[in-house]
Structure formats: structure tokens, C-alpha cells
Amino acid sequence: MPAELPIQRPLFALLIRLAAILALATMSVFVKLASESGIHVAEILFWRQFITIPLLGGWLLLTRQAALFRTQRVGMHARRAAYGMTGMVLIFSALALLPLAEATVFNFTSTIWAVILSALLLHEKVGRYRWIAVVLGFTGVLIIAQPGGSNIDLLGSALALGGAFMVALISIQIRDMNRTEHQLTIVFYFAAFSVPVLLLILPFVFTAHDSYQWMILAGLGLSGLAGQVLLTLSLRFGAVASVIVMDYSSLIWATLFGFWIFGNIPPVATWFGAPLIVIAGLIIAWREHKLSIPREHASTAP
């Protein structure tokens, strides 16, 4: 007998997705505060990942879901962890160099990179709408970055774009992993593989912390895990195409947090470039939704 499909609750899914984006935006604040307080990016990564193992692992044991620890794709999980750590290093380093709003906008280019990678790696046919979105999105990037004449840190911009590229690469990899692996299994093994590597680096970068820094690290780990779990939960009650639009709410939080906490106001170029990147992402999401309808009908046909 086939497994019973979860009940779809679109509005509830949207609310969960909004909460997930708020949690991840909060994590970005903690990452920036940790970096500004002198904590090395490798240690930030360690505590971000370490807290996942006891909390998520304990949850799976308490809820009698220990079967999710089993996997037949250890090599794929290790590769995902390598990609994930690379992406997090780039994204966290960008957060240290850029204002929150600009770092967040550059992260939106992951959907644009995903289109390019789908064409190159998966040999998917990409139509004119999505190619127009790619051009539109990178036009927005050029407006914000203004190579050669911008107040935006170009190294930080490059790191943010590299991080977005890795997110797109990981999304394609996870698309394949989701065929056999539960999403919580993927989250757990990401931490399980990355923590030992980061633990080897930790003695070379660890410094004594005061109570303020420990609070930042605890907040970083908890908000990051909450964001991951809520992202997964949103997909249980709603379709990807319907909830992913809420991801752009992170720009609102990044702008507000950037002003309230760090005193940053996005320059004029960001207000012109950011809408182009957001529109590009929305076009891609809309087009993916339109293309998924025939595939769903074909998969349910007798």
C-alpha cells in the first residue's frame, strides 16, 4: 500500500516558510556579530554545525525515527558536506565584508545559477523566459556591484556570488538525493561529516570567549537549525513553487536588521539592482511552476 501523502495546507506552509526565513535572517545577524567580535569563520562554522548533531539526533531518537540514520549513499553525503562547507565559508565570509542587505541580494542569484547549471550539467532545455531572467538578474548584480566604481566591497561581492553558486550546485545535488534520502537525513549527515573536519581546524583558530560571544554562537546554532527544520517542514505542507516566493522576505529582514543593529542603509544602486534580481527569481519560479504542471499530469496518468 503506498504511503499516505501529507495533507496540503498552503497558507500554513507559507507561514512556516516566513518563519524559516526570519530564523535564517537572524542567523545571518549572529554570523556578522560573531565575525565582528573576532571569532574566526572556521569556528563559526563549527558551532553552527555542531549543535545540529545532539539536537536533531536527539529529536530523531525521541520521536522514534532512528531509521532515518540509515543511508546507502554515504559517499554522496560526504560530497554534499564538502560542497556545503565550501558554500558556507563563502557566504559567512561575505557576511563579514558586506552589509546584510547586499549579502542577501547576492544570495538570491542562486536561482539564476541553478538555471545555468541545469542547462550545463543536467542538459535541461532552458527556454527564453528563464534566459531572459538570467540576463535580468546579472544586470541587477552589475548595478549593485558597479565594478571599478562602487562602495560595495568587490571581494565580498565575489564571495557572495560564489556562495550562491554553491547553493545552486547543492540544490541540484539534493534534487538527486531526495529520490532515496529523507531531508532530515541529509541535514544530519551534513553536520556529521563536516563537524570532524572543522574539529581538526578548531585548535588553530579557537580563542577564549566572553559570555557575549558564547551567546552569539548559541544563537547562531539554534537559529540556523530552526531555519533548516522549518524550511523542510514548509515543503511538507506546500509545494516548492508556492512557498519559495516567501524567501524574498529575507531582504526585508536584512534591510531592517542592517539598519537597526549595524546602522547600514543600502545605497541607491541596491534599490535599483535588487528588484531586477528579485524579478528574475520570480520569473524562474513562475516558469518552473508552469513546467511542473505537465510533468505532474504525466506522472499521474494511468
Side-chain angles (χ1 to χ4, degrees):
M1 180 179 294
E4 184 179 348
L5 294 174
I7 298 173
Q8 294 293 287
R9 300 171 61 186
L11 180 58
F12 185 51
L14 292 176
L15 293 174
I16 294 175
R17 192 77 175 193
L18 282 172
I21 298 307
L22 174 57
L24 293 176
T26 303
M27 183 196 73
S28 295
V29 171
F30 283 124
V31 169
K32 193 167 182 64
L33 288 172
S35 178
E36 290 186 353
S37 73
I39 302 176
H40 194 278
V41 65
E43 186 180 354
I44 295 173
L45 280 170
F46 173 80
W47 293 111
R48 163 64 184 86
Q49 293 294 82
F50 175 78
I51 201 167
T52 299
I53 296 176
L55 291 183
L56 183 56
W59 170 258
L60 293 177
L61 290 174
L62 287 173
T63 56
R64 299 183 180 181
Q65 300 183 73
L68 294 180
F69 290 122
R70 292 198 292 269
T71 179
Q72 300 296 321
R73 307 182 72 180
V74 175
M76 182 65 78
H77 282 289
R79 198 174 308 123
R80 184 266 182 272
Y83 291 167
M85 281 195 294
T86 302
M88 289 175 73
V89 167
L90 293 170
I91 292 170
F92 286 10
S93 298
L95 282 169
L97 297 173
L98 295 175
L100 280 177
E102 280 73 12
T104 300
V105 170
F106 286 135
N107 285 340
F108 291 158
T109 62
S110 61
T111 56
I112 301 169
W113 288 118
V115 171
I116 297 172
L117 289 173
S118 295
L120 295 177
L121 300 181
L122 302 179
H123 305 292
E124 291 185 0
K125 183 179 179 181
V126 177
R128 65 179 181 276
Y129 290 107
R130 285 185 287 176
W131 282 126
I132 290 171
V134 168
V135 173
L136 193 65
F138 282 118
T139 300
V141 169
L142 289 174
I143 290 173
I144 295 172
Q146 298 180 47
S150 171
N151 293 324
I152 298 296
D153 188 285
L154 290 183
L155 175 59
S157 301
L159 291 171
L161 289 172
F165 175 85
M166 292 306 301
V167 169
L169 186 62
I170 292 164
S171 69
I172 291 176
Q173 184 186 37
I174 290 179
R175 189 188 307 178
D176 173 61
M177 295 178 73
N178 278 335
R179 294 186 296 106
T180 60
E181 308 294 287
H182 191 281
Q183 288 181 325
L184 291 181
T185 305
I186 296 172
V187 171
F188 179 81
Y189 277 101
F190 176 28
F193 275 104
S194 56
V195 165
V197 176
L198 293 167
L199 188 59
L200 294 175
I201 303 172
L202 193 60
F204 301 98
V205 298
F206 180 81
T207 55
H209 302 319
D210 56 28
S211 58
Y212 168 73
Q213 290 175 311
W214 282 119
M215 288 175 62
I216 290 174
L217 291 172
L220 186 155
L222 290 172
S223 57
L225 178 58
Q228 278 191 307
V229 172
L230 288 169
L231 285 177
T232 300
L233 190 60
S234 71
L235 297 176
R236 178 178 176 83
F237 295 104
V240 175
S242 64
V243 300
I244 198 171
V245 177
M246 295 298 102
D247 292 7
Y248 293 100
S249 65
S250 61
L251 182 55
I252 299 173
W253 294 117
T255 303
L256 291 176
F257 287 154
F259 176 69
W260 288 339
I261 300 174
F262 302 102
N264 295 324
I265 300 176
V268 174
T270 300
W271 295 109
F272 281 99
L276 295 180
I277 298 174
V278 172
I279 290 170
L282 292 174
I283 291 172
I284 292 169
W286 166 76
R287 199 60 193 150
E288 291 286 345
H289 174 63
K290 296 288 286 186
L291 293 173
S292 70
I293 295 174
R295 288 197 294 265
E296 289 174 1
H297 288 329
S299 64
T300 57

